Amino acid sequence: VNAEIIAVGSELLTPQRIDTNSLFLTEKLNQIGFEVVRKTIVGDDRPRLADELRQARDSSELVITSGGIGPTLDDLTRDAASDAVGRKLVYVPAVVEAIEERFRRFNRKMAEINKRQGYVLEGCEILPNPNGTAPGQYFQDEKGILIILPGPPRELKPMFEQHCVPRLLQLDSPDKYYTATLRVALMPESEVDERIGPIYSAEPRVATTILASPGDIQVHLRAKAATLEQARDIAEALALKVEAELGKTVYSQAHEGLVDVVARLFRERQLTIATAESCTGGLLAEMLTSRAGSSEYFRGGFVSYSEQAKIETLGVPAETIRDHGVYSAETAAQMALAARRKLGTSLGFGITGVAGPDEGTEETPVGTVFLALADQTGATVTKRNLGGDRERIRGMAALVALEMLRHRILGIE
Amino acid sequence: VNAEIIAVGSELLTPQRIDTNSLFLTEKLNQIGFEVVRKTIVGDDRPRLADELRQARDSSELVITSGGIGPTLDDLTRDAASDAVGRKLVYVPAVVEAIEERFRRFNRKMAEINKRQGYVLEGCEILPNPNGTAPGQYFQDEKGILIILPGPPRELKPMFEQHCVPRLLQLDSPDKYYTATLRVALMPESEVDERIGPIYSAEPRVATTILASPGDIQVHLRAKAATLEQARDIAEALALKVEAELGKTVYSQAHEGLVDVVARLFRERQLTIATAESCTGGLLAEMLTSRAGSSEYFRGGFVSYSEQAKIETLGVPAETIRDHGVYSAETAAQMALAARRKLGTSLGFGITGVAGPDEGTEETPVGTVFLALADQTGATVTKRNLGGDRERIRGMAALVALEMLRHRILGIE
């Protein structure tokens, strides 16, 4: 079933703001068998929005708006919806009473202007909003369904999940969709596609999308079938085949990111870590401590940016740097060993390299990074030549480090 | 003059992808006097895209598309544009020769399918694409202007700046716009608005937008006038008044972010810094080293997450932690002093606190953060009670740290 999403608000037409509600809505809609065929962003302009609603309802059975239902004169979604569907707005005292009650709970008095929020499309179902003042609206006529949602994500998301998804699931629709996801670390998009192309091409009931961001590929397998259960079975059977081909580079079958996976592994195995970073400037430590409960496994880190910091505070032997250079496998290994020794952890990690844009040489051009993982038996070092700008090189180096940790903990060669 | 932007591509209708080209285009268009009144995202669907183009051209003088001009059968923007404007596509051998030449440069042979990219709207101007294969198109008829751009940002951006902006600037248009920007650190949006509302309301020629992200407010003052010079004068005169009201919380009059400003100040004043972080887990170090040339001022940092790391490797006196607790002004001060002493820098910074979601107590609830700045005269400590989740508390603490550094370096009380 086709769906369209219209985000309302002049602030969404500035160079600084982007509509992200539609990503959440698309994900939820896809899960229950709706396909988003168009997304639009319009300003606070009643005739333009009314036009947009008419066009959308002409071409799609489900239309969802977000935003433009606050109390101010700029909030015109109610009026435009009334113009577009040809129903008048009716005043519902219970809605305003709920808003008044909400203000009382916060020891404030409701402003007169909030009464505007008491007007809804005649014949709609009112969707309660425990997280804000504006109620949502679920309207259905012979043309299709129109859902009017508030703009703030913390109001929109629970309202859609609790009040819209159940209603939409009850509709008789010919097709259901289910999406299985695989996440792959550090394999180029072209290689992923080359390897799994023959597999997914042989399954015409599944639409495959490969989404690439640096070092992190998501493979989405979306199956279409008569029931949700059938769609799920088809998608997951294909996911198993794809995973068998990609092997251990698949780090997650779900929405867990690489940081979440590594954090979970550290906690499950009761391991601890200390880091010593140069070119990544603390990014690996920041990632490892970004999840709740990280103090269980992360003891501490060194950002040994200067040579002095490496030698005096971290304890890398001066002769290692003198003999092999600061960008070398030997220095990375000594950093990892020193971090582990200083903090008495099960693992130590060291990173040194050239993030650029300056300081590259012929021997160690910009993007050269040495990564060392130390345990009680010593240190193993990986050298990478990473492409891109400073931010990308730092980000990729941290991802390589996380993947080295994941492999080590899981015993993957 | 009204403009609309249409992003083309089914991948932009998935839950994972978002159109960001339109942010760049909006910024550039606003600078030269165009107002974006609608943005649309449509899939690779020829009739739908043709409809969309017709509607957009009916309501706006300038329509820009991005994407859908690659070589594959999914790339349908050319055909849909032909349907919408009622001109046929013509084959331009020179375009294909340029593509062949590009392939030769990379020692590859052009595939037959790339010849599709040689077709353009009859009567258009061809926009060269040094960064990819697909040329852009600039088409003008009695209805208005249609610009067809490639999807990849690294192809779209230079093409728009070099080949479209100059053409659009030559159009006779009634109004010109200029936007002045002020960036404000750590002041709540409501306070900014309360203080500057009376000032901007008194200037009807300027449209004011306040964009808030945690700890960072941008005030955009967009003036409309007959010439660009007049618009700039109006916007900048108002910006001066707004800045006088907001005072030293205004950290930038341009697109320089807070990290850029602090990095620049360190380099200009030839100061150096060392950090000792607990709850921020390396985030401050990561920010301070995120810009090129940071080794000039950043010597090193400690992520002293465990008590052991604070006492043994950083050198915080054990009795400070015993007597005052790990979350205390005294511990923060000792962290800052120790980091400065260990690395011999002009400044030292220490952060300790509770990022949550656990470990809060009555005395130090989640969000309590102590920030210390040390120099040769000792350490000064600030206590903050920050709201939000773990990620927000860490991010805000790092922003407070950057702002403390900015104030100290500039001698702001």
Side-chain angles (χ1 to χ4, degrees):
Chain A
V1 184
N2 285 353
E4 302 200 15
I5 300 169
I6 303 173
V8 185
S10 295
E11 74 281 5
L12 297 172
L13 293 171
T14 61
Q16 290 81 21
R17 278 284 166 93
I18 208 154
D19 156 52
T20 54
N21 283 325
S22 68
L23 299 182
F24 166 83
L25 292 172
T26 301
E27 183 176 3
K28 296 294 161 191
L29 287 169
N30 288 351
Q31 283 169 1
I32 59 173
F34 288 83
E35 184 154 19
V36 177
V37 296
R38 200 172 68 127
K39 306 197 292 188
T40 316
I41 297 142
V42 291
D44 303 310
D45 177 323
R46 179 166 169 175
R48 200 178 288 277
L49 177 52
D51 269 356
E52 201 60 46
L53 283 165
R54 278 189 209 100
Q55 286 166 20
R57 280 168 52 84
D58 281 345
S59 67
S60 296
E61 282 176 62
L62 172 62
V63 176
I64 300 176
T65 70
S66 62
I69 56 173
T72 76
L73 296 174
D74 273 355
D75 292 301
L76 295 163
T77 304
R78 286 176 292 264
D79 304 284
S82 166
D83 298 344
V85 305
R87 298 280 186 103
K88 63 179 184 186
L89 295 175
V90 294
Y91 183 76
V92 181
V95 167
V96 177
E97 281 159 26
I99 298 173
E100 278 187 309
E101 169 57 29
R102 182 179 168 81
F103 274 93
R104 255 197 306 278
R105 264 206 326 277
F106 292 107
N107 291 314
R108 289 167 53 204
K109 203 176 162 329
M110 188 188 82
E112 196 61 20
I113 201 172
N114 283 88
K115 287 195 177 163
R116 280 172 56 83
Q117 298 183 292
Y119 286 89
V120 300
L121 284 177
E122 189 178 30
C124 80
E125 295 175 71
I126 292 167
L127 310 176
N129 183 359
N131 304 303
T133 55
Q137 302 181 39
Y138 185 97
F139 175 83
Q140 185 161 16
D141 64 7
E142 66 292 348
K143 281 213 106 153
I145 297 163
L146 172 62
I147 296 176
I148 297 173
L149 298 175
R154 58 185 289 277
E155 302 178 26
L156 174 141
K157 289 182 181 184
M159 186 183 289
F160 188 75
E161 289 199 298
Q162 287 159 36
H163 300 293
C164 301
V165 169
R167 284 176 170 84
L168 295 173
L169 274 175
Q170 283 170 9
L171 299 175
D172 276 330
S173 85
D175 294 319
K176 299 290 177 189
Y177 294 85
Y178 181 88
T179 303
T181 301
L182 296 174
R183 302 185 67 156
V184 183
L186 299 173
M187 190 187 282
E189 183 183 10
S190 56
E191 185 183 340
V192 172
D193 199 28
E194 214 172 288
R195 289 174 60 170
I196 71 174
I199 301 169
Y200 67 69
S201 305
E203 173 52 278
R205 296 170 297 178
V206 175
T208 301
T209 315
I210 297 176
L211 298 173
S213 53
D216 197 2
I217 306 275
Q218 295 189 29
V219 180
H220 292 262
L221 306 165
R222 191 158 70 103
K224 182 160 97 168
T227 71
L228 192 58
E229 289 67 33
Q230 286 169 9
R232 183 186 297 132
D233 290 347
I234 294 167
E236 295 197 334
L238 184 60
L240 278 180
K241 290 183 199 167
V242 168
E243 195 182 348
E245 170 60 35
L246 294 175
K248 298 299 188 182
T249 62
V250 175
Y251 67 80
S252 164
Q253 289 81 28
H255 293 290
E256 220 183 21
L258 189 54
V259 173
D260 301 298
V261 171
V262 171
R264 179 171 51 71
L265 288 172
F266 266 110
R267 296 178 70 172
E268 284 174 6
R269 312 285 169 113
Q270 301 192 333
L271 296 168
T272 55
I273 185 163
T275 56
E277 301 177 67
S278 177
C279 60
T280 45
L283 180 58
L284 178 60
E286 196 277 323
M287 285 179 162
L288 287 170
T289 61
S290 63
R291 300 302 187 263
S294 56
S295 54
E296 281 180 36
Y297 55 87
F298 187 85
R299 290 274 174 82
F302 298 82
V303 185
S304 47
Y305 220 59
S306 60
E307 211 167 294
Q308 169 204 12
K310 287 187 188 71
I311 297 168
E312 290 173 24
T313 62
L314 180 57
V316 171
E319 56 273 23
T320 302
I321 295 178
R322 191 192 59 214
D323 296 349
H324 303 279
V326 67
Y327 310 130
S328 65
E330 289 79 4
T331 298
Q334 289 299 329
M335 287 170 69
L337 291 165
R340 179 176 180 273
R341 192 171 54 234
K342 283 258 183 191
L343 291 162
T345 49
S346 30
L347 299 175
F349 208 96
I351 307 179
T352 178
V354 191
D358 310 317
E359 291 174 43
T361 63
E362 201 163 312
E363 219 172 307
T364 54
V366 169
T368 307
V369 179
F370 296 90
L371 304 106
L373 176 48
D375 63 13
Q376 71 284 359
T377 67
T380 47
V381 185
T382 303
K383 178 185 177 184
R384 293 285 185 132
N385 297 300
L386 304 170
D389 61 10
R390 183 177 177 85
E391 188 183 341
R392 187 177 184 280
I393 291 169
R394 285 160 57 106
M396 283 294 289
L399 283 187
V400 173
L402 291 175
E403 189 62 356
M404 285 172 70
L405 288 168
R406 186 178 74 90
H407 281 223
R408 171 65 60 94
I409 298 175
L410 290 174
I412 301 171
E413 289 308 305
Chain B
V1 184
N2 285 352
E4 304 201 13
I5 300 169
I6 302 173
V8 184
S10 296
E11 74 282 4
L12 297 171
L13 293 171
T14 62
Q16 290 81 23
R17 278 284 166 92
I18 209 154
D19 156 53
T20 53
N21 282 326
S22 69
L23 300 180
F24 166 83
L25 292 171
T26 300
E27 182 176 3
K28 297 294 159 191
L29 287 168
N30 287 350
Q31 284 168 3
I32 59 172
F34 288 83
E35 182 154 22
V36 176
V37 296
R38 198 170 70 126
K39 305 197 294 190
T40 315
I41 297 141
V42 291
D44 302 310
D45 178 323
R46 179 167 168 175
R48 203 179 287 280
L49 176 53
D51 270 357
E52 201 60 48
L53 283 164
R54 279 189 207 99
Q55 286 165 21
R57 279 167 53 83
D58 281 345
S59 66
S60 295
E61 282 175 62
L62 171 62
V63 176
I64 299 176
T65 70
S66 63
I69 56 174
T72 77
L73 296 172
D74 273 356
D75 292 300
L76 295 162
T77 303
R78 286 177 292 263
D79 305 285
S82 166
D83 299 343
V85 305
R87 297 278 185 105
K88 63 177 182 187
L89 295 175
V90 293
Y91 184 74
V92 181
V95 167
V96 177
E97 281 158 26
I99 298 173
E100 279 188 310
E101 169 57 30
R102 182 179 168 83
F103 274 93
R104 253 196 308 278
R105 264 207 325 278
F106 292 107
N107 290 314
R108 289 167 54 203
K109 202 178 162 330
M110 188 187 84
E112 197 59 20
I113 201 171
N114 283 86
K115 290 196 175 161
R116 280 172 56 85
Q117 298 184 291
Y119 288 89
V120 300
L121 284 176
E122 189 177 29
C124 79
E125 295 175 71
I126 292 167
L127 310 176
N129 182 1
N131 303 303
T133 55
Q137 302 181 40
Y138 186 96
F139 176 84
Q140 185 160 19
D141 64 6
E142 65 291 346
K143 281 214 108 152
I145 298 163
L146 172 62
I147 296 176
I148 297 173
L149 299 174
R154 58 187 288 278
E155 301 177 27
L156 175 140
K157 290 182 181 182
M159 187 183 289
F160 189 74
E161 289 198 299
Q162 288 160 37
H163 299 293
C164 302
V165 169
R167 284 175 169 85
L168 294 173
L169 275 173
Q170 283 171 10
L171 299 175
D172 275 333
S173 85
D175 295 319
K176 299 290 177 189
Y177 294 84
Y178 182 89
T179 302
T181 301
L182 296 174
R183 301 185 67 153
V184 183
L186 298 173
M187 189 186 281
E189 182 182 9
S190 56
E191 185 182 340
V192 172
D193 199 29
E194 215 172 286
R195 289 175 62 171
I196 71 175
I199 301 168
Y200 67 69
S201 305
E203 174 51 277
R205 295 170 297 177
V206 175
T208 301
T209 313
I210 298 176
L211 297 173
S213 53
D216 197 0
I217 306 274
Q218 295 188 30
V219 180
H220 292 262
L221 307 165
R222 191 159 70 103
K224 181 160 97 170
T227 70
L228 193 58
E229 289 65 35
Q230 286 170 11
R232 184 188 295 134
D233 290 347
I234 294 168
E236 295 197 334
L238 184 61
L240 278 179
K241 291 185 197 164
V242 167
E243 193 182 349
E245 169 60 35
L246 294 175
K248 297 299 185 183
T249 62
V250 175
Y251 68 80
S252 164
Q253 290 81 30
H255 292 289
E256 221 184 18
L258 189 53
V259 173
D260 301 297
V261 171
V262 171
R264 179 172 49 74
L265 288 172
F266 267 110
R267 296 177 71 173
E268 284 174 7
R269 313 285 168 114
Q270 301 191 331
L271 295 167
T272 56
I273 183 162
T275 56
E277 301 178 66
S278 177
C279 60
T280 44
L283 180 58
L284 178 60
E286 195 278 324
M287 285 179 162
L288 286 170
T289 60
S290 63
R291 301 302 187 262
S294 55
S295 53
E296 282 181 36
Y297 55 85
F298 187 84
R299 290 274 174 82
F302 299 82
V303 185
S304 46
Y305 220 59
S306 61
E307 213 167 293
Q308 170 205 10
K310 288 188 187 70
I311 296 167
E312 290 173 25
T313 61
L314 181 57
V316 171
E319 55 272 24
T320 303
I321 295 178
R322 191 190 60 213
D323 296 349
H324 303 279
V326 67
Y327 309 129
S328 65
E330 289 79 4
T331 298
Q334 290 301 328
M335 288 169 68
L337 291 165
R340 179 178 181 274
R341 192 172 53 235
K342 283 258 183 190
L343 291 162
T345 49
S346 32
L347 298 174
F349 208 97
I351 308 180
T352 178
V354 192
D358 310 316
E359 293 173 43
T361 64
E362 201 163 313
E363 218 170 307
T364 53
V366 169
T368 307
V369 179
F370 296 90
L371 303 107
L373 176 48
D375 62 12
Q376 71 284 359
T377 67
T380 47
V381 186
T382 302
K383 179 184 177 184
R384 293 286 185 130
N385 297 301
L386 304 170
D389 61 10
R390 182 177 179 85
E391 189 184 340
R392 187 178 183 280
I393 290 168
R394 285 160 56 106
M396 284 294 289
L399 283 187
V400 172
L402 290 175
E403 190 62 357
M404 285 172 71
L405 288 168
R406 186 178 73 90
H407 280 224
R408 171 64 60 93
I409 298 174
L410 290 174
I412 301 171
E413 288 307 306

